[in-house]
Amino acid sequence: MTRILIAEDEARIASFVQKGLIANGFATTVVADGESALQHALTGRFDLLVLDLGLPERNGFSVLSTLRERRNTTPVIILTAQDSVRATVAGLEGGADDYMTKPFRFEELLARVRLRLRRNETATEPTVLHAGPVALDLRTRRADVDGTAVDLTAREFALLELFLRHRGQVLSREQILSHVWGYDFDPGSNIVDVYVRALRRKVGATRIRTARGMGYAFDVTC
């Protein structure tokens, strides 16, 4: 199983990232300071590091530079509130493989994690998701239903991707909100229901089943 190290000192964000990665089949370890991040990463037991820059004891830049000085080639995705061009360039030139600023959507982070892992492994995951007559091409961002192309907004695409990755599984509104809209979602919002209705109109009303009081599931039999 792929192991990911999460170095993040803000507990809410660390928990959000960890839960999302576990739900997608990854094994995770969370540390809250730079020194622990460095020591864990140097063991060589991790396939990827999600690294916050503003860590206590040793900041992310220091962790990254030390890893690269010691010829540790573990892929690193920087996750930070620093959104300046200078910080971005410094992170990438320091040896980071990718860079994301907060706030962020989990689906985007997940896509970047998978991309970095694919480049580091010989095996690749399918680029097209299928469920009956519904197909979603993750590379070209194209959706087809019954052989006909369907136009989706970015959020609709992310929602359909989530359903297809977990087809047949009931997903709660909270799970959908956190995956598609990010960790700064409003749990009292009805935005999920609005987007589910819109997606039903495009992929077929019977294909997204309502589990009353629980959430929604993509019906693989339709």
Side-chain angles (χ1 to χ4, degrees):
M1 180 178 288
T2 302
R3 295 182 57 84
I4 297 179
L5 177 62
I6 303 165
E8 170 61 63
D9 64 329
E10 189 171 335
R12 183 170 64 102
I13 297 177
S15 175
F16 166 72
V17 173
Q18 182 178 40
K19 288 177 181 178
L21 290 174
I22 290 174
N24 283 275
F26 298 104
T28 63
T29 297
V30 175
V31 294
D33 65 84
E35 191 59 41
S36 297
L38 178 61
Q39 296 309 316
H40 277 73
L42 286 174
T43 65
R45 295 188 296 109
F46 295 94
D47 301 289
L48 184 137
L49 168 60
V50 177
L51 178 66
D52 180 38
L53 288 184
L55 294 172
E57 296 190 24
R58 181 191 285 260
N59 67 35
F61 286 122
S62 175
V63 172
L64 181 60
S65 64
T66 303
L67 285 176
R68 297 313 187 222
E69 285 170 4
R70 299 189 185 185
R71 301 186 183 281
N72 183 297
T73 59
T74 302
V76 175
I77 297 177
I78 287 178
L79 201 60
T80 181
Q82 299 183 33
D83 60 355
S84 70
V85 173
R86 184 175 180 180
T88 303
V89 171
L92 295 174
E93 289 187 344
D97 297 271
D98 210 337
Y99 196 105
M100 288 191 67
T101 57
K102 304 171 186 176
F104 60 92
R105 290 193 305 113
F106 179 77
E107 286 302 307
E108 182 180 356
L109 174 62
L110 181 61
R112 295 186 185 216
V113 165
R114 286 179 169 141
L115 175 62
R116 297 304 153 189
L117 290 172
R118 280 202 300 270
R119 290 181 177 179
N120 219 44
E121 297 173 356
T122 55
T124 60
E125 68 171 18
T127 59
V128 181
L129 302 178
H130 293 276
V134 179
L136 196 66
D137 192 316
L138 305 179
R139 183 172 49 83
T140 64
R141 310 292 288 181
R142 174 189 170 102
D144 288 280
V145 179
D146 297 312
T148 302
V150 175
D151 290 327
L152 299 178
T153 67
R155 296 286 193 195
E156 289 169 348
F157 189 97
L159 180 58
L160 183 57
E161 179 183 354
L162 180 64
F163 277 133
L164 294 186
R165 289 191 183 279
H166 300 275
R167 49 193 180 275
Q169 176 184 336
V170 175
L171 299 172
S172 70
R173 287 174 176 79
E174 290 75 16
Q175 285 177 299
I176 295 171
L177 276 167
S178 65
H179 276 71
V180 178
W181 278 267
Y183 60 88
D184 278 334
F185 62 84
D186 175 6
S189 170
N190 71 336
I191 192 70
V192 170
D193 308 285
V194 171
Y195 271 80
V196 166
R197 285 196 296 269
L199 194 57
R200 277 173 168 159
R201 289 195 292 268
K202 295 183 177 182
V203 304
T206 61
R207 290 183 175 129
I208 302 176
R209 174 171 55 87
T210 299
R212 194 170 300 279
M214 300 172 64
Y216 297 100
F218 197 91
D219 195 337
V220 295
T221 63
C222 296

